[in-house]
Amino acid sequence: MAQPSSSKTNLTSTETPIRATSPGPLNNDVWTQVKTGVKELIHVATESLRYYSDPSYSAVGPVIFMGRKYEGLKHEAFLDDFTSRLWVTYRHSFPPIAPSSYTSDVGWGCMMRSGQMLLANAFVYHLLGRDWRLSSNTGKAWDDYVKIITWFLDSNSSPYSIHRIALIGMQYDKAIGEWFGPTTIAQVLRVLHENQLSESKLALHIVNDGTLLLDELNATCMRRDEEGKEVFTSVLILVPVRLGLDSLNAVYHGSIKKFFGMSSSVGIAGGRPNSSLYFMGVEGESHLIYTDPHFMRQSVELKDPTSYTAQDLETYHCPTVRIVPISSLDPSMVFGFYCRNKEDVDQFVKEAKKDICNGSTPLFSMQETAPNYENADMLSDGSDGEF
């Protein structure tokens, strides 16, 4: 059985790529390959540049990371937790995304990769548990870990691959090679997940228009087993929102920080316009912890799961902790929540109502059912007399 090798985690960001402009639809295959090659060369040449660096800022903690609290960024338990999360980045040299000739997603796939990270880490919770760590990855845990990663490899046959995401995106008027927004990636992942539900045993619920209807959530979680009995299914809840016009409104900062302390938190896919990141925690009072998909790596070949080694999959873990001011976020983002059972759903509802769905500026709203307008008097017939 292959065993993962340990590696030292870097605490200072020493490599950050520039963000390439998202390409529009291209009809000429040769020109597509030329532009892709140029972008890849630029990426290789600029990955050593620092980005989001602030020499005047000194991290002091504490750290709230996906429902757990740590003393700071150098705390050993935090580093073990952080490096165990899955990291999905730009890849090159994968099979073409038919009918296009794209063999890399450099410059346009960052929101797709951020969405993959959110879903992949939800699967880690679901199949391996919140307490699973890469440093003790053996036995059945190793097998499940490999299975999760193969679901996201860059192949036409992987259920959540960049290939399938790009193709389903065409149903949402997104050409192959065009940047996605947070709402689009949430909807595309929902479509792809419908074909994977029986194997994953994980339901996926999308919150529309910023309002979570609890009766619809409960309906999503209830499934019939092989004997026809209704059983509760674990669920990933995705909430696409827009919290401001051109920039994130500061009134939401406090609620976003509280989100990372929720036991159900699986992170946020968001970032900056045309430049998505995956956020997993908060450091101190004003900085978020994230992993960055804008690093180009060699595509990993899809093969017999038993043949993978830890070295084959090491690029799916980020060795560097990065932070960014919360004020720099784009207002469009997707929140992720994982609930294993009915008790977790009840706890999620309780925490959400208390911390992020209350007051005059909630991150999103929550109600039992949709309003019933059938009996409302929409128009007056003139029989009510004078007011």
Side-chain angles (χ1 to χ4, degrees):
M1 185 69 64
Q3 300 292 324
S5 59
S6 60
S7 60
K8 184 176 180 181
T9 303
N10 300 319
L11 293 179
T12 304
S13 175
T14 58
E15 52 168 355
T16 306
I18 63 172
R19 269 60 173 169
T21 303
S22 172
L26 299 175
N27 296 321
N28 189 303
D29 287 348
V30 175
W31 182 233
T32 298
Q33 293 173 8
V34 170
K35 293 190 71 175
T36 299
V38 170
K39 288 177 183 177
E40 291 178 359
L41 288 173
I42 292 174
H43 243 69
V44 170
T46 59
E47 275 198 357
S48 61
L49 298 178
R50 294 176 63 89
Y51 199 79
Y52 291 150
S53 61
D54 182 0
S56 65
Y57 180 75
S58 177
V60 294
V63 166
I64 307 297
F65 186 78
M66 302 179 88
R68 301 292 173 87
K69 186 173 182 177
Y70 300 101
E71 294 177 5
L73 297 180
K74 296 182 180 180
H75 194 268
E76 184 178 353
F78 163 70
L79 295 176
D80 197 23
D81 195 352
F82 175 83
T83 54
S84 297
R85 301 310 115 202
L86 292 181
W87 181 38
V88 188
T89 67
Y90 286 155
R91 297 279 167 168
H92 67 86
S93 304
F94 52 64
I97 304 177
S100 78
S101 59
Y102 282 106
T103 58
S104 171
D105 60 311
V106 170
W108 55 271
C110 60
M111 178 53 79
M112 302 180 191
R113 299 303 189 178
S114 293
Q116 286 179 317
M117 278 191 272
L118 198 161
L119 181 56
N121 282 293
F123 279 133
V124 170
Y125 279 24
H126 183 57
L127 297 179
L128 299 172
R130 180 63 183 89
D131 294 325
W132 171 84
R133 296 293 182 267
L134 183 63
S135 55
S136 57
N137 194 16
T138 60
K140 185 179 184 302
W142 170 262
D143 296 336
D144 287 339
Y145 163 79
V146 171
K147 178 168 66 174
I148 292 169
I149 292 181
T150 59
W151 285 349
F152 295 87
L153 293 183
D154 307 304
S155 163
N156 288 302
S157 57
S158 295
Y160 305 105
S161 67
I162 193 81
H163 297 65
R164 294 196 178 189
I165 291 174
L167 290 175
I168 296 298
M170 297 174 69
Q171 300 179 15
Y172 293 87
D173 298 321
K174 296 291 185 180
I176 299 174
E178 186 175 352
W179 190 82
F180 280 22
T183 299
T184 302
I185 188 59
Q187 295 295 345
V188 167
L189 291 177
R190 177 189 59 81
V191 173
L192 292 174
H193 190 68
E194 290 175 356
N195 296 323
Q196 195 70 8
L197 177 59
S198 59
E199 182 175 355
S200 68
K201 303 294 190 298
L202 175 68
L204 197 158
H205 185 81
I206 305 289
V207 174
N208 295 312
D209 302 321
T211 300
L212 173 59
L213 302 177
L214 295 179
D215 62 338
E216 292 185 355
L217 174 60
N218 289 330
T220 298
C221 296
M222 298 308 297
R223 304 282 173 174
R224 293 194 179 277
D225 62 15
E226 297 177 354
E227 299 177 354
K229 296 170 56 178
E230 277 201 337
V231 295
F232 189 93
T233 302
S234 302
V235 62
L236 171 64
I237 305 165
L238 297 182
V239 188
V241 296
R242 186 172 184 86
L243 305 176
L245 297 177
D246 297 325
S247 61
L248 177 66
N249 194 315
V251 300
Y252 297 109
H253 289 186
S255 295
I256 290 175
K257 290 188 289 184
K258 289 180 180 179
F259 159 76
F260 292 109
M262 294 177 63
S263 57
S264 55
S265 170
V266 197
I268 301 172
R272 296 180 173 216
N274 295 322
S275 184
S276 177
L277 303 170
Y278 173 54
F279 301 96
M280 298 180 287
V282 58
E283 188 280 328
E285 294 296 324
S286 60
H287 284 69
L288 300 185
I289 301 165
Y290 71 95
T291 48
D292 191 341
H294 301 85
F295 288 87
M296 186 177 64
R297 300 290 182 260
Q298 172 75 40
S299 179
V300 175
E301 179 186 2
L302 180 63
K303 57 184 181 181
D304 182 352
T306 62
S307 64
Y308 286 106
T309 66
Q311 186 175 5
D312 292 333
L313 305 177
E314 64 182 359
T315 57
Y316 280 90
H317 295 275
C318 184
T320 305
V321 179
R322 293 180 174 84
I323 58 176
V324 62
I326 190 173
S327 58
S328 67
L329 267 64
D330 185 79
S332 294
M333 61 191 78
V334 179
F335 291 89
F337 305 87
Y338 171 76
C339 300
R340 181 175 297 278
N341 48 42
K342 182 65 167 62
E343 290 74 20
D344 282 357
V345 170
D346 293 341
Q347 181 68 18
F348 155 71
V349 172
K350 179 181 178 181
E351 291 180 351
K353 286 182 176 180
K354 175 178 177 291
D355 293 330
I356 64 175
C357 295
N358 62 344
S360 59
T361 54
L363 296 182
F364 57 93
S365 61
M366 184 182 296
Q367 57 192 55
E368 293 294 331
T369 62
N372 185 355
Y373 299 109
E374 291 184 1
N375 299 322
D377 293 327
M378 304 302 292
L379 296 174
S380 172
D381 60 5
S383 61
D384 294 333
E386 296 184 3
F387 290 96

